[in-house]
Amino acid sequence: MAAPLCVEVEFGGGAELLFDGVKKHQVTLSGQEGPWDIRNLLVWIKKNLLKERPELFIQGDSVRPGILVLINDSDWELLGELDYQLQDQDSILFISTLHGG
Amino acid sequence: MPAPTCASCGSARAALRRPRSGQALCGSCFCAAFEAEVLHTVLAGRLLPPGAVVAVGASGGKDSTVLAHVLRALAPRLDISLHLVAVDEGISGYRDAALAAVRRQAALWELPLTVVSYADLFGGWTMDAVARSTAGSGRSRSCCTFCGVLRRRALEEGARLVGATHIVTGHNADDMAETVLMNFLRGDAGRLARAGGLGSAGEGGALPRCRPLHLASQKEVVLYAHFRRLHYFSEECVYAPEAFRGHARDLLKLLEAARPSAVLDLVHSAERLALAPAAKPPRPGACSRCGALASRELCQACALLDGLNRGRPLLAIGKGRRGLREEPPACAPPAAAPTPAPAPPPPTTCAQQNDLRSRSVTCAYQTSIGM
């Protein structure tokens, strides 16, 4: 049983364009049966924040290849990726790398 | 599980794991390692000798922003001077915003900036005008083919204007790997022969070019920009969805997911490629019109512009350059024919255009840039 959580979800590198151009979102996740991990955060984002073209952000149950995920400024690879269990006041940043440079 | 501790400083929390070594580093140590690697690439390849005046191709995007920032940090050590050169292709709603980012960077870093435009260099042929000219040609849009050639020429002109001795661009390992794939997919033996080089030595009077970031993965470029708090322009060019490179990029991303080292492995494979004797391209000569390096009578830029000016834009696209040896047009095209850069493209009524547009569903960024 997971208690309700407040986390900050941020989008950068162009990904914000899929979210009405808004970069930072303060998100309250309600208490629920299972834990809040990145996997179900993505489901939540798709349902509640994503404004258009979900295929540009999500692929399957993960992010589209080319989108980096930083949790509290650390690469999610170090923290278990989709299985990382969210904690109150965590900051999750999604940076798109999919554009010319 | 908590992040491990940085393997380098042993005190801060690790922010990422380097793909090649598997080493976990904090943001600060990673940035130092990234800069050290770029320094090594430049020194080991003797890319930028002391005293070099370096023109940095600056687009405002992530790669050239990181490139300029790193080279600026390394400039005293390398004893080089830097000059930002930005190319204005005349793409309404896209390039103007990107140039604004470059101007901010030039001011922030106190680096001189020169902007060169297609409109000035190529007789009014902005990319918007080229796109309109190629719109009705069927299949996928080939305007990106023009842009690649013309931008390189524009960068060369800009570099000469500022008295540069070398040109650097921000191509990263992913870009290089995509290019290798594209060349294979198109059977482009000539380019494959050159694909692996660290840079071109500058034959035929062209300025030497190199890509100091060519061994840096795109992911690490973005992370460097993040940890150094660098601001860059991150929208996709309005014509990019139709470029062939997109297919190579999608393929590369799939490959990378299955085998992370595939990106760098592709770059190294290309470096080691040797062509069969029959496939080797002929020694290049000089363009009969402008004198630049050319493997045929006309260099690519002149051939493409020729096609545009004759109202047959695809003349120089694809193998064989069919019809190029025809006699020149009876009268020169009117100078007013291509629309000057400042005017935004008028809404098009060409059915083909609508087709392409309806394939890419209108979304926020397309609307915001007036498409």
Side-chain angles (χ1 to χ4, degrees), chain A residues 13-14 16-17 52-53 64-66 68 70-75 77-80 93 95 97-101, chain B residues 1-3 13-17 59 61-64 218-219 222-223 226-227 229 232 234-235 253 363-365:
Chain A
E16 66 273 22
L17 295 165
E52 56 201 302
R53 308 198 67 187
R64 184 183 174 205
L68 308 185
L70 294 180
I71 303 169
N72 302 326
D73 241 21
S74 287
D75 190 343
E77 277 174 20
L78 293 175
L79 299 166
L93 167 61
I95 315 179
T97 66
L98 302 163
H99 49 78
Chain B
M1 70 212 190
R13 186 164 48 97
L16 57 96
R17 196 179 293 282
S59 66
K62 59 189 187 343
D63 301 305
S64 56
Q218 179 158 258
K219 174 174 174 177
V222 173
L223 286 174
H226 171 74
F227 289 115
R229 309 274 177 255
Y232 55 85
S234 55
E235 287 183 25
K253 283 291 152 209
C363 75
Y365 78 79

Side-chain angles (χ1 to χ4, degrees), chain B:
Chain B
M1 70 212 190
T5 318
C6 175
S8 178
C9 65
S11 51
R13 186 164 48 97
L16 57 96
R17 196 179 293 282
R18 307 236 37 217
R20 253 180 297 168
S21 61
Q23 210 189 18
L25 296 178
C26 69
S28 182
C29 292
F30 159 67
C31 288
F34 187 91
E35 284 159 9
E37 281 161 19
V38 175
L39 178 62
H40 175 78
T41 299
V42 171
L43 289 176
R46 292 194 177 87
L47 301 179
L48 305 172
V53 178
V54 181
V56 182
S59 66
K62 59 189 187 343
D63 301 305
S64 56
T65 298
V66 167
L67 175 67
H69 186 267
V70 172
L71 285 182
R72 184 171 169 271
L74 298 177
R77 168 81 172 75
L78 291 170
D79 188 22
I80 57 174
S81 60
L82 300 175
H83 202 120
L84 298 179
V85 176
V87 175
D88 181 1
E89 307 97 333
I91 302 175
S92 306
Y94 168 72
R95 188 44 78 194
D96 338 311
L99 281 179
V102 183
R103 292 187 210 279
R104 273 196 300 274
Q105 287 167 358
L108 184 67
W109 295 330
E110 291 170 332
L111 287 176
L113 166 65
T114 298
V115 180
V116 287
S117 74
Y118 279 16
D120 292 335
L121 290 172
F122 307 125
W125 280 109
T126 61
M127 270 318 293
D128 285 341
V130 173
R132 278 193 297 278
S133 178
T134 55
S137 325
R139 291 190 296 153
S140 60
R141 198 197 286 271
S142 47
C143 62
C144 302
T145 303
F146 286 80
C147 200
V149 172
L150 296 179
R151 191 170 52 251
R152 276 159 185 76
R153 176 57 56 88
L155 197 52
E156 178 93 22
E157 293 302 312
R160 285 194 191 286
L161 267 175
V162 307
T165 55
H166 294 73
I167 296 177
V168 294
T169 52
H171 295 90
N172 57 50
D174 294 54
D175 296 324
M176 307 295 289
E178 285 164 15
T179 300
V180 172
L181 282 177
M182 285 165 72
N183 292 338
F184 268 109
L185 291 170
R186 296 193 293 210
D188 200 326
R191 287 206 176 93
L192 275 173
R194 300 190 292 272
L198 271 177
S200 53
E203 304 158 321
L207 288 174
R209 287 174 187 244
C210 63
R211 302 148 174 156
L213 300 182
H214 84 292
L215 293 175
S217 76
Q218 179 158 258
K219 174 174 174 177
E220 297 206 313
V221 169
V222 173
L223 286 174
Y224 180 89
H226 171 74
F227 289 115
R228 286 286 192 235
R229 309 274 177 255
L230 303 179
H231 293 286
Y232 55 85
F233 180 72
S234 55
E235 287 183 25
E236 194 178 45
C237 174
V238 305
Y239 299 117
E242 286 120 29
F244 182 63
R245 183 171 286 267
H247 296 291
R249 183 168 293 166
D250 291 340
L251 182 57
L252 190 68
K253 283 291 152 209
L254 288 174
L255 290 169
E256 194 185 13
R259 189 186 147 88
S261 61
V263 176
L264 275 169
D265 291 343
L266 266 171
V267 179
H268 289 310
S269 294
E271 278 174 354
R272 294 179 181 110
L273 215 52
L275 292 187
K280 287 211 172 93
R283 283 201 63 76
C287 173
S288 60
R289 203 167 285 177
C290 73
L293 200 67
S295 43
R296 293 193 180 91
E297 195 190 306
L298 289 181
C299 70
Q300 270 199 301
C302 285
L304 288 175
L305 287 168
D306 212 38
L308 282 171
N309 287 325
R310 292 200 204 181
R312 296 180 57 192
L314 298 190
L315 207 53
I317 304 270
K319 299 198 171 95
R321 302 247 191 116
R322 46 193 181 279
L324 254 188
R325 293 204 179 274
E326 289 168 8
E327 61 279 3
C331 57
T339 312
T348 181
T349 53
C350 164
Q352 200 76 27
Q353 187 82 345
N354 287 337
D355 254 335
L356 290 168
R357 239 193 249 160
S358 63
R359 254 200 278 137
S360 46
V361 173
T362 309
C363 75
Y365 78 79
Q366 281 175 311
T367 317
S368 70
I369 43 145
M371 237 189 122

